Amino acid sequence: MPVEFLGIAATNDGSEVTPRAGASFDKEYTLKLARAHEDHGWDRVLFAYSSGSPDPSPAAAYVAAHTEKLQILVAHRPNVSYPTFAAKTFATLDRISDGRLAVHFITGGNDHEQQREGDFLTKDERYARTREAIQIIKRAWTSHEPFDHEGTHYRFNDFVSDTFPVQQPHPQVSFGGSSPAAYAAGGAEADIYCLWGEPLAQTAEQIASVKEAARAAGRTDVPRIQVAFRPIIAPTEELAWEKAHRTLARIRARKSGTPLSRRHPLRNPENTGSRRLLAVAAEGDLHDRALWTPTAAETGGAGNSTALVGTPETVAQALLDYYDLGVEILSARGYDLLDDAIDFGRHVIPIVREEVAKRDASHQAA
């Protein structure tokens, strides 16, 4: 089974431990970080989305035009553009990148953040809209004949695009969430289903829920599974744990100064995924081989926030534990974005790829 590595395509050098040094879109830094991923064994980078952040699509187009093989994952909220327009945007981007695009559809787990851009639907209504938008975009990517649509959230007549993606039948669709509504929508429509880093037992339960939802939707295949972590690595276990506690102290210091984020509450988050991470953190700091939760607890379970702590060998083996559950895409993002991307690419990715190759060879020989 192949393994892929997804990094972050940040547009500035800010993180939970460091305020950004300049503008929200730093062209030089954006390209430097992307090239660091391309040069150190990563497969793809994510251009994330929030209400006030730079538009991910032109940022991705810029990186695609200045890299050769790095694949790009562009986050998209269906409330910000009509599906026919979004389909053309992404088809154009797939052309610019010579077929390196995937699209991550975000439903939105925080009402206040959604309302910043005029979205006042309930969470369940948002999931239904996302599912409808994905269906329209897929059809726009593949239909060479005009078509009409009359659904719950969108209505139009006689649309046909003159811009089609390079990839056939279409770019991969990525989706995430941990609620029953998320499983139903993503299980039906996604090529890739994204989870945040939970203990192995809970991750296995979520994978089973995604597969069950895919079968319930009548699919004969299932989405590939992606799981996201914040690696904290060092040459020895002792140094790695010292680094982990320094990182936690830096997060706390950052919180006491400039707010970490305007889009995520540090207490009582609305979305199921963040609540699950906080529940795991409440059960204990360390789970399984190397999963460390205080970073999630300190940030309110905001997104990808659980860490894997240890030597490169320890972190690689922890990632392989998830691979053995059926996880094909490993998402990782450090706290010092550039240096950590390089270190992880140099020291962890080769170990995981080598061990996966051994597993594949063993299965073929059996």
Side-chain angles (χ1 to χ4, degrees), residues 121-187:
L121 297 184
T122 66
K123 185 178 178 183
D124 284 348
E125 289 172 335
R126 293 198 297 267
Y127 274 115
R129 180 185 58 195
T130 300
R131 186 170 180 176
E132 187 176 341
I134 293 172
Q135 291 169 346
I136 293 168
I137 290 170
K138 285 180 178 178
R139 188 168 181 186
W141 279 339
T142 56
S143 177
H144 292 263
E145 298 295 329
F147 65 96
D148 302 337
H149 179 84
E150 185 167 352
T152 303
H153 299 281
Y154 303 104
R155 177 184 177 184
F156 56 86
N157 293 327
D158 203 40
F159 176 78
V160 64
S161 178
D162 193 34
T163 305
F164 295 93
V166 172
Q167 298 176 78
Q168 296 297 317
H170 55 70
Q172 293 183 88
V173 167
S174 172
F175 189 94
S178 297
S179 67
Y183 298 144

XYZ file of all heavy atoms in Angstrom, residues 121-187:
538
model
N -25.911 29.273 7.939
C -26.548 27.961 7.997
C -26.147 27.226 9.270
O -25.099 27.490 9.862
C -26.149 27.120 6.783
C -26.562 27.615 5.395
C -26.165 26.593 4.351
C -28.057 27.898 5.328
N -26.970 26.272 9.680
C -26.585 25.406 10.784
C -25.527 24.419 10.296
O -25.301 24.255 9.094
C -27.794 24.620 11.313
O -28.233 23.707 10.283
C -28.929 25.550 11.694
N -24.905 23.733 11.242
C -23.839 22.802 10.877
C -24.341 21.694 9.959
O -23.712 21.373 8.943
C -23.216 22.210 12.137
C -22.009 21.315 11.858
C -21.404 20.811 13.156
C -20.239 19.891 12.905
N -19.689 19.339 14.163
N -25.498 21.089 10.304
C -26.031 20.022 9.459
C -26.401 20.550 8.074
O -26.215 19.855 7.065
C -27.236 19.359 10.120
C -26.842 18.415 11.247
O -25.636 18.105 11.366
O -27.731 17.980 11.999
N -26.930 21.772 8.018
C -27.233 22.378 6.724
C -25.953 22.609 5.927
O -25.937 22.420 4.698
C -27.971 23.702 6.917
C -29.394 23.550 7.413
C -30.030 24.869 7.779
O -29.282 25.828 8.120
O -31.266 24.974 7.739
N -24.884 22.970 6.609
C -23.612 23.179 5.910
C -23.095 21.876 5.313
O -22.550 21.863 4.203
C -22.576 23.789 6.858
C -22.895 25.205 7.299
C -21.680 25.923 7.857
N -21.111 25.333 9.048
C -21.419 25.684 10.293
N -22.357 26.600 10.499
N -20.810 25.134 11.334
N -23.222 20.778 6.055
C -22.782 19.494 5.500
C -23.581 19.116 4.259
O -23.025 18.623 3.271
C -22.866 18.389 6.554
C -21.639 18.301 7.416
C -21.700 18.576 8.778
C -20.396 17.964 6.874
C -20.560 18.511 9.585
C -19.263 17.898 7.664
C -19.352 18.174 9.011
O -18.224 18.111 9.790
N -24.883 19.349 4.304
C -25.709 19.057 3.127
C -25.297 19.937 1.947
O -25.238 19.471 0.798
C -27.182 19.264 3.460
N -25.002 21.196 2.221
C -24.564 22.097 1.153
C -23.221 21.654 0.584
O -23.019 21.681 -0.641
C -24.467 23.529 1.675
C -24.015 24.533 0.610
C -23.814 25.915 1.193
N -22.834 25.896 2.276
C -22.684 26.896 3.141
N -23.452 27.968 3.073
N -21.767 26.810 4.103
N -22.297 21.266 1.446
C -20.989 20.816 0.967
C -21.140 19.611 0.047
O -20.512 19.547 -1.018
C -20.078 20.455 2.151
O -19.896 21.609 2.970
C -18.718 19.969 1.658
N -21.968 18.663 0.458
C -22.177 17.471 -0.365
C -22.760 17.853 -1.722
O -22.312 17.356 -2.769
C -23.092 16.493 0.365
C -23.261 15.162 -0.338
C -23.967 14.186 0.574
N -24.148 12.883 -0.064
C -24.671 11.823 0.536
N -25.055 11.911 1.811
N -24.804 10.667 -0.098
N -23.735 18.768 -1.736
C -24.334 19.205 -2.990
C -23.308 19.940 -3.850
O -23.230 19.733 -5.071
C -25.533 20.109 -2.699
C -26.328 20.484 -3.934
C -27.562 21.308 -3.599
O -28.021 21.301 -2.422
O -28.074 21.988 -4.518
N -22.485 20.782 -3.224
C -21.463 21.523 -3.975
C -20.450 20.573 -4.608
O -20.053 20.758 -5.769
C -20.750 22.515 -3.049
N -20.007 19.555 -3.866
C -19.053 18.595 -4.421
C -19.651 17.895 -5.634
O -18.982 17.715 -6.669
C -18.629 17.567 -3.353
C -17.812 18.240 -2.248
C -17.813 16.441 -3.991
C -17.525 17.339 -1.052
N -20.899 17.495 -5.529
C -21.547 16.809 -6.650
C -21.594 17.706 -7.889
O -21.335 17.251 -9.015
C -22.951 16.377 -6.233
C -22.963 15.275 -5.193
C -24.338 15.043 -4.583
O -25.249 15.868 -4.743
N -24.495 13.941 -3.864
N -21.912 18.979 -7.697
C -21.962 19.913 -8.831
C -20.580 20.105 -9.427
O -20.394 20.081 -10.652
C -22.542 21.269 -8.375
C -24.012 21.111 -7.998
C -22.389 22.318 -9.478
C -24.584 22.317 -7.271
N -19.581 20.308 -8.566
C -18.222 20.552 -9.063
C -17.697 19.339 -9.821
O -17.086 19.488 -10.896
C -17.303 20.946 -7.892
C -17.676 22.349 -7.383
C -15.832 20.899 -8.297
C -17.013 22.741 -6.084
N -17.926 18.150 -9.317
C -17.512 16.951 -10.044
C -18.171 16.894 -11.426
O -17.512 16.566 -12.427
C -17.877 15.695 -9.249
C -16.999 15.396 -8.051
C -17.499 14.123 -7.378
C -16.660 13.713 -6.204
N -17.170 12.498 -5.524
N -19.451 17.212 -11.468
C -20.136 17.155 -12.760
C -19.608 18.234 -13.703
O -19.430 17.980 -14.904
C -21.649 17.304 -12.569
C -22.431 17.055 -13.854
C -23.910 16.912 -13.619
N -24.602 16.641 -14.880
C -25.912 16.580 -15.026
N -26.703 16.763 -13.967
N -26.460 16.332 -16.205
N -19.352 19.422 -13.171
C -18.807 20.490 -14.009
C -17.427 20.140 -14.541
O -17.050 20.553 -15.648
C -18.755 21.795 -13.217
N -16.663 19.380 -13.755
C -15.337 18.950 -14.197
C -15.399 17.912 -15.313
O -14.423 17.739 -16.049
C -14.582 18.335 -13.026
C -13.931 19.310 -12.095
C -13.580 20.600 -12.346
C -13.531 19.034 -10.748
N -12.980 21.157 -11.245
C -12.931 20.209 -10.244
C -13.613 17.910 -9.925
C -12.426 20.299 -8.947
C -13.109 18.002 -8.640
C -12.517 19.184 -8.150
N -16.504 17.201 -15.405
C -16.545 16.035 -16.306
C -17.574 16.131 -17.424
O -17.500 15.372 -18.391
C -16.833 14.752 -15.497
O -18.051 14.923 -14.770
C -15.700 14.459 -14.512
N -18.543 17.046 -17.315
C -19.620 17.110 -18.294
C -19.277 18.070 -19.433
O -19.011 19.253 -19.192
C -20.927 17.569 -17.629
O -21.949 17.701 -18.597
N -19.295 17.566 -20.648
C -19.060 18.406 -21.828
C -20.368 18.842 -22.477
O -20.348 19.478 -23.529
C -18.181 17.666 -22.835
C -16.783 17.456 -22.344
N -15.732 18.286 -22.684
C -16.262 16.512 -21.506
C -14.627 17.867 -22.102
N -14.918 16.783 -21.385
N -21.464 18.494 -21.839
C -22.781 18.921 -22.295
C -23.421 19.804 -21.230
O -23.227 19.586 -20.025
C -23.673 17.706 -22.567
C -23.159 16.787 -23.659
C -23.132 17.463 -25.023
O -23.997 18.354 -25.261
O -22.264 17.106 -25.842
N -24.207 20.810 -21.634
C -24.869 21.666 -20.649
C -25.786 20.862 -19.733
O -26.396 19.872 -20.154
C -25.680 22.647 -21.514
C -25.007 22.623 -22.848
C -24.484 21.226 -23.019
N -25.874 21.298 -18.480
C -26.767 20.615 -17.547
C -27.424 21.638 -16.618
O -26.901 22.729 -16.388
C -26.029 19.533 -16.744
C -24.953 20.032 -15.814
C -25.226 20.247 -14.460
C -23.658 20.266 -16.273
C -24.235 20.689 -13.590
C -22.667 20.709 -15.410
C -22.954 20.927 -14.068
N -28.582 21.252 -16.110
C -29.322 22.057 -15.151
C -29.140 21.447 -13.763
O -28.816 20.264 -13.617
C -30.815 22.090 -15.473
C -31.112 22.617 -16.862
O -30.262 23.347 -17.427
O -32.196 22.278 -17.387
N -29.392 22.254 -12.750
C -29.371 21.731 -11.385
C -30.402 22.492 -10.561
O -30.453 23.719 -10.584
C -27.988 21.902 -10.751
C -27.923 21.400 -9.341
N -27.700 20.087 -9.038
C -28.077 22.042 -8.151
C -27.707 19.927 -7.720
N -27.943 21.102 -7.155
N -31.198 21.749 -9.808
C -32.122 22.349 -8.858
C -32.078 21.531 -7.583
O -32.649 20.434 -7.499
C -33.546 22.390 -9.420
C -34.517 23.120 -8.501
C -35.838 23.456 -9.153
O -35.966 23.254 -10.376
O -36.739 23.920 -8.437
N -31.342 22.047 -6.604
C -31.172 21.336 -5.349
C -31.625 22.172 -4.179
O -32.299 23.194 -4.329
N -31.219 21.760 -2.988
C -31.611 22.480 -1.779
C -30.900 23.823 -1.664
O -31.492 24.813 -1.234
C -31.290 21.622 -0.543
O -31.958 20.364 -0.657
C -31.729 22.316 0.737
N -29.639 23.854 -2.090
C -28.826 25.045 -1.879
C -28.406 25.755 -3.169
O -27.982 26.907 -3.111
C -27.577 24.685 -1.068
C -27.895 24.136 0.290
N -28.238 24.938 1.349
C -27.949 22.858 0.743
C -28.478 24.185 2.410
N -28.304 22.917 2.071
N -28.512 25.102 -4.298
C -28.059 25.694 -5.564
C -29.067 25.418 -6.670
O -29.681 24.344 -6.717
C -26.695 25.121 -5.964
C -25.612 25.314 -4.921
C -25.202 24.240 -4.128
C -25.016 26.557 -4.727
C -24.222 24.402 -3.172
C -24.026 26.726 -3.767
C -23.638 25.655 -2.988
O -22.667 25.821 -2.037
N -29.196 26.391 -7.554
C -30.080 26.234 -8.708
C -29.487 26.993 -9.887
O -29.099 28.162 -9.755
C -31.469 26.782 -8.389
C -32.447 26.723 -9.555
C -33.764 27.368 -9.177
N -34.692 27.378 -10.305
C -35.887 27.953 -10.286
N -36.295 28.585 -9.184
N -36.659 27.924 -11.352
N -29.373 26.339 -11.034
C -28.915 27.012 -12.252
C -29.376 26.212 -13.465
O -29.767 25.042 -13.342
C -27.392 27.188 -12.262
C -26.613 25.909 -12.084
C -26.304 25.098 -13.174
C -26.163 25.519 -10.831
C -25.590 23.927 -13.012
C -25.438 24.346 -10.658
C -25.154 23.549 -11.753
N -29.291 26.848 -14.620
C -29.723 26.221 -15.872
C -28.623 26.299 -16.918
O -27.918 27.308 -17.026
C -30.972 26.918 -16.432
C -32.193 26.721 -15.562
O -32.346 25.678 -14.929
N -33.068 27.722 -15.527
N -28.490 25.216 -17.685
C -27.731 25.208 -18.936
C -26.256 25.575 -18.745
O -25.656 26.247 -19.572
C -28.382 26.182 -19.934
C -28.030 25.846 -21.383
O -27.996 24.639 -21.717
O -27.779 26.781 -22.165
N -25.648 25.079 -17.667
C -24.224 25.377 -17.458
C -23.350 24.340 -18.146
O -23.601 23.136 -18.071
C -23.867 25.392 -15.976
C -22.395 25.607 -15.741
C -21.841 26.869 -15.844
C -21.550 24.528 -15.464
C -20.477 27.076 -15.658
C -20.189 24.721 -15.278
C -19.652 25.999 -15.374
N -22.321 24.790 -18.801
C -21.248 23.920 -19.279
C -19.959 24.714 -19.244
O -19.923 25.892 -19.610
C -21.527 23.377 -20.699
C -21.584 24.504 -21.730
C -20.484 22.334 -21.097
N -18.928 24.099 -18.747
C -17.627 24.759 -18.652
C -16.823 24.520 -19.921
O -17.000 23.505 -20.610
C -16.849 24.212 -17.457
O -15.570 24.812 -17.373
N -15.954 25.442 -20.217
C -14.993 25.265 -21.307
C -13.588 25.036 -20.756
O -12.614 25.074 -21.489
C -15.011 26.502 -22.223
C -14.278 26.262 -23.540
O -14.326 25.119 -24.038
O -13.633 27.207 -24.034
N -13.520 24.825 -19.438
C -12.238 24.632 -18.769
C -12.302 23.343 -17.963
O -13.087 23.240 -17.021
C -11.935 25.814 -17.829
O -12.008 27.027 -18.560
C -10.545 25.668 -17.215
N -11.477 22.380 -18.352
C -11.512 21.069 -17.709
C -10.148 20.742 -17.114
O -9.109 21.161 -17.632
C -11.923 19.994 -18.713
C -13.329 20.170 -19.213
C -13.581 20.889 -20.380
C -14.398 19.662 -18.504
C -14.873 21.078 -20.833
C -15.704 19.842 -18.948
C -15.936 20.553 -20.111
N -10.139 20.002 -16.010
C -8.862 19.656 -15.382
C -8.035 18.707 -16.235
O -8.549 17.998 -17.098
C -9.280 19.002 -14.068
C -10.675 18.533 -14.291
C -11.287 19.461 -15.277
N -6.735 18.702 -15.953
C -5.832 17.746 -16.602
C -6.152 16.334 -16.137
O -6.196 15.397 -16.933
C -4.364 18.108 -16.281
C -3.417 17.010 -16.783
C -3.995 19.454 -16.887
N -6.361 16.177 -14.832
C -6.579 14.849 -14.255
C -7.948 14.310 -14.665
O -8.925 15.038 -14.692
C -6.494 14.928 -12.734
C -5.131 15.376 -12.227
C -5.128 15.541 -10.724
O -5.047 14.559 -9.982
N -5.213 16.780 -10.260
N -7.966 13.043 -14.971
C -9.198 12.382 -15.377
C -9.541 11.245 -14.416
O -8.656 10.496 -14.023
C -9.052 11.844 -16.811
C -8.850 12.925 -17.851
C -10.036 13.864 -17.946
O -11.185 13.412 -17.934
N -9.770 15.156 -18.014
N -10.781 11.122 -13.984
C -11.888 11.966 -14.421
C -11.890 13.355 -13.813
O -12.483 14.272 -14.359
C -13.117 11.171 -13.981
C -12.640 10.386 -12.793
C -11.222 10.021 -13.111
N -11.202 13.522 -12.658
C -11.154 14.842 -12.030
C -10.122 14.817 -10.915
O -9.679 13.739 -10.467
C -12.531 15.241 -11.480
C -13.129 14.237 -10.534
N -12.634 13.999 -9.274
C -14.194 13.406 -10.673
C -13.354 13.070 -8.670
N -14.310 12.682 -9.505
N -9.710 15.980 -10.395
C -8.817 16.008 -9.230
C -9.437 15.313 -8.023
O -10.666 15.206 -7.909
C -8.644 17.514 -8.965
C -8.904 18.162 -10.280
C -9.976 17.327 -10.925
N -8.588 14.867 -7.136
C -9.073 14.195 -5.938
C -9.819 15.169 -5.029
O -9.437 16.333 -4.886
C -7.916 13.572 -5.168
C -7.244 12.422 -5.898
C -6.154 11.807 -5.055
O -6.397 10.890 -4.255
N -4.948 12.309 -5.215
N -10.858 14.657 -4.398
C -11.663 15.418 -3.446
C -11.303 14.946 -2.038
O -11.382 13.758 -1.724
C -13.159 15.215 -3.714
C -13.998 15.737 -2.550
C -13.556 15.900 -5.010
N -10.918 15.904 -1.203
C -10.534 15.638 0.176
C -11.595 16.216 1.108
O -12.204 17.253 0.816
C -9.161 16.273 0.445
O -8.814 16.220 1.806
N -11.807 15.557 2.253
C -12.901 15.934 3.134
C -12.533 15.516 4.551
O -11.825 14.527 4.749
C -14.185 15.217 2.685
C -15.444 15.675 3.360
C -16.230 16.652 2.784
C -15.848 15.115 4.569
C -17.405 17.074 3.400
C -17.012 15.527 5.195
C -17.796 16.514 4.604
N -13.020 16.245 5.552
C -12.736 15.868 6.924
C -13.902 16.115 7.847
O -14.848 16.833 7.516
N -13.833 15.518 9.027
C -14.867 15.689 10.037
C -15.027 14.437 10.864
O -14.662 13.339 10.434
N -15.603 14.594 12.060
C -15.718 13.460 12.980
C -17.126 13.258 13.500
O -17.328 12.507 14.459
C -14.764 13.666 14.170
O -13.422 13.698 13.734
N -18.095 13.903 12.900
C -19.487 13.740 13.313
C -20.198 12.788 12.356
O -19.725 12.538 11.248
C -20.196 15.094 13.303
O -20.310 15.587 11.973
N -21.353 12.250 12.749
C -22.114 11.402 11.826
C -22.442 12.099 10.511
O -22.407 11.470 9.445
C -23.375 11.069 12.629
C -22.939 11.118 14.050
C -21.943 12.236 14.109
N -22.763 13.399 10.564
C -23.051 14.139 9.331
C -21.822 14.210 8.435
O -21.923 14.134 7.208
C -23.549 15.543 9.662
N -20.651 14.352 9.054
C -19.404 14.385 8.274
C -19.128 13.037 7.643
O -18.772 12.953 6.456
C -18.241 14.801 9.173
N -19.263 11.965 8.419
C -19.030 10.635 7.859
C -19.944 10.380 6.665
O -19.519 9.830 5.643
C -19.273 9.553 8.914
C -18.378 9.587 10.120
C -18.877 9.237 11.380
C -17.035 9.950 10.028
C -18.065 9.253 12.499
C -16.218 9.981 11.156
C -16.749 9.628 12.391
O -15.950 9.644 13.504
N -21.208 10.793 6.789
C -22.169 10.543 5.709
C -21.784 11.295 4.447
O -21.785 10.718 3.346
C -23.577 10.932 6.164
N -21.442 12.584 4.576
C -21.099 13.381 3.396
C -19.767 12.959 2.802
O -19.650 12.724 1.590
C -21.067 14.865 3.765
N -18.743 12.847 3.644
C -17.425 12.467 3.138
C -17.359 11.032 2.690
O -16.675 10.710 1.709
N -18.041 10.158 3.398
C -18.068 8.763 2.980
C -18.670 8.596 1.603
O -18.268 7.717 0.836
